[in-house]
Amino acid sequence: MTTSASPTPSLFQRLRGLSGEVIKFGIVGLVGVVVNAGVFWVCLQGTGAIKSLSGFIATAVAIGTNYLGYRYWLYRDRDAASRKREITLFLIFSGIGMLIENGILAFSVHVLDYTSSGAQLVAKNVVGLAAGTIFRFFSYRTWVFKALPELAETDEVALANEPALAKL
């Protein structure tokens, strides 16, 4: 008689397995933050529409940068069967994250009256980005970059016996 390990890993095992992913997500995100802050700061130096849309412009450039990091580094081993679906979901969830991030910026400017460039940078790239990042992490790993399904033991046995069944 053989014994098998519990099919459901403990909370500690799941968190330990998640830590590497969180670290890589953070590295890609940090690159995005630098890109976001740099583009945002440059746009704030402009006038008119560029200054008004600086948060959205900066976030859009960072989204493109982050997609490349997530797809080709962090989630390179995940299912990429449907790039169209993946990119569509990535843009939808990134857009929601952008709304969270820039909603906090708008609140700080229009409600709290924090109008200095420094205050706006903190509101958008500290508070807003933190809230948006938490949302993005869970939505990307759950719906966008789905893990490949692992073969169950019964599937492996069926695949091993498949040539024998074909001869019958």
Side-chain angles (χ1 to χ4, degrees), residues 67 70-71 75 78-94 136-147:
Y67 177 77
Y70 294 135
R71 166 47 43 218
Y75 296 120
R78 299 282 178 101
D79 186 15
S82 175
R83 271 306 147 90
K84 189 181 210 180
R85 176 197 154 281
E86 177 182 279
I87 291 171
T88 301
L89 287 174
F90 184 83
L91 291 174
I92 289 169
F93 289 120
S94 294
R136 287 180 185 114
F137 176 76
F138 288 107
S139 61
Y140 293 167
R141 76 180 313 272
T142 304
W143 294 294
V144 179
F145 301 106
K146 296 174 85 170

Side-chain angles (χ1 to χ4, degrees), residues 53-73:
L53 296 173
S54 58
F56 289 99
I57 293 168
T59 305
V61 173
I63 285 171
T65 304
N66 286 354
Y67 177 77
L68 296 173
Y70 294 135
R71 166 47 43 218
Y72 296 106
W73 185 53

Side-chain angles (χ1 to χ4, degrees), residues 14-118:
R14 284 185 284 172
L15 290 176
R16 195 167 135 198
L18 193 63
S19 66
E21 183 180 348
V22 169
I23 290 168
K24 287 182 177 182
F25 190 90
I27 291 169
V28 172
L30 186 59
V31 170
V33 167
V34 170
V35 169
N36 193 328
V39 172
F40 184 63
W41 186 258
V42 168
C43 289
L44 282 178
Q45 307 314 306
T47 58
I50 289 180
K51 188 170 185 174
S52 299
L53 296 173
S54 58
F56 289 99
I57 293 168
T59 305
V61 173
I63 285 171
T65 304
N66 286 354
Y67 177 77
L68 296 173
Y70 294 135
R71 166 47 43 218
Y72 296 106
W73 185 53
L74 175 57
Y75 296 120
R76 69 180 174 273
D77 61 337
R78 299 282 178 101
D79 186 15
S82 175
R83 271 306 147 90
K84 189 181 210 180
R85 176 197 154 281
E86 177 182 279
I87 291 171
T88 301
L89 287 174
F90 184 83
L91 291 174
I92 289 169
F93 289 120
S94 294
I96 294 169
M98 181 192 299
L99 291 175
I100 292 168
E101 190 177 315
N102 288 289
I104 290 172
L105 172 63
F107 179 80
S108 71
V109 170
H110 299 292
V111 176
L112 301 177
D113 200 31
Y114 293 152
T115 57
S116 73
S117 295

